[in-house]
Amino acid sequence: MSTEIRRAIYPGSFDPITNGHLDIIERGCKLFDEVVVAVLNNPDKNSLFSVDERLQMLREVLPKAEGCRIRVDSFQGLLVEYAAAQNARAIVRGIRAISDYEYELQMALMNRRLSPGLETIFLMSGETYSYISSRLVKQVFTLGGRIEGLVPPLVEERMREKLNK
């Protein structure tokens, strides 16, 4: 009997984390012993929240999944190198629409070329969250729209503080 931990990486910008992200994390926990929610540190991207702020929000809003450990971390550079350093078997990605699939397929195939033993697992978004993206949430919020139910209340509160709304 193997005692090896089945670990997956769920990478993303999480700027901000949405209820759709939380759904994918919870469902990923049903497949793996540990899910590492890995915030991409991309200094070239104009983010609303710093990496440290995103890490803190994730730690505060992530569910406690029975039988699965959820760990929060950040990385920069190639995802396959980060996954190897974490001894991860898989990358978890959420798919909302055909446009997501096309992009994610390219990334998965490149990752497979770079690291043949690392699998990419696509999880379809729950219907409730199939249209939600961090970019769309930020747009709606900055234009004065309501975002409750799209992000955890703590995230909405931090967005209000950040944007003085």
Side-chain angles (χ1 to χ4, degrees):
M1 185 167 147
S2 174
T3 59
E4 183 181 345
I5 293 175
R6 294 174 303 141
R7 179 176 296 120
I9 307 292
Y10 180 40
S13 62
F14 305 106
D15 187 45
I17 189 164
T18 69
N19 289 340
H21 292 131
L22 294 177
D23 176 58
I24 296 294
I25 293 165
E26 288 178 30
R27 292 170 45 220
C29 274
K30 294 176 184 173
L31 303 172
F32 297 96
D33 302 317
E34 181 179 64
V35 174
V36 179
V37 181
V39 176
L40 174 61
N41 182 359
N42 183 352
D44 297 331
K45 194 170 182 181
N46 187 15
S47 300
L48 176 61
F49 293 103
S50 71
V51 170
D52 287 339
E53 289 170 322
R54 287 179 269 161
L55 290 169
Q56 182 61 36
M57 281 189 288
L58 279 162
R59 287 184 182 107
E60 291 182 46
V61 302
L62 282 173
K64 305 296 182 231
E66 205 169 302
C68 174
R69 180 173 175 221
I70 301 172
R71 188 163 43 95
V72 176
D73 197 11
S74 65
F75 76 101
Q76 62 185 72
L78 287 175
L79 176 57
V80 295
E81 290 176 358
Y82 176 75
Q86 299 298 312
N87 296 314
R89 293 177 155 188
I91 298 166
V92 172
R93 298 299 295 159
I95 302 286
R96 293 171 299 204
I98 294 295
S99 57
D100 282 351
Y101 177 74
E102 291 171 355
Y103 172 77
E104 293 296 343
L105 177 62
Q106 284 183 313
M107 295 301 295
L109 292 174
M110 180 57 76
N111 287 338
R112 182 182 295 161
R113 182 179 184 280
L114 295 171
S115 181
L118 184 64
E119 294 294 337
T120 299
I121 308 297
F122 295 131
L123 294 178
M124 296 302 298
S125 268
E127 306 80 33
T128 306
Y129 309 112
S130 63
Y131 64 95
I132 300 173
S133 71
S134 294
R135 180 187 44 77
L136 186 57
V137 165
K138 286 187 285 193
Q139 278 182 326
V140 168
F141 186 77
T142 57
L143 293 171
R146 296 173 51 177
I147 60 168
E148 62 269 350
L150 304 180
V151 298
L154 173 90
V155 172
E156 183 176 357
E157 179 183 315
R158 299 278 166 81
M159 289 176 74
R160 286 192 195 294
E161 291 169 4
K162 181 69 83 171
L163 298 172
N164 296 317
K165 290 194 173 257

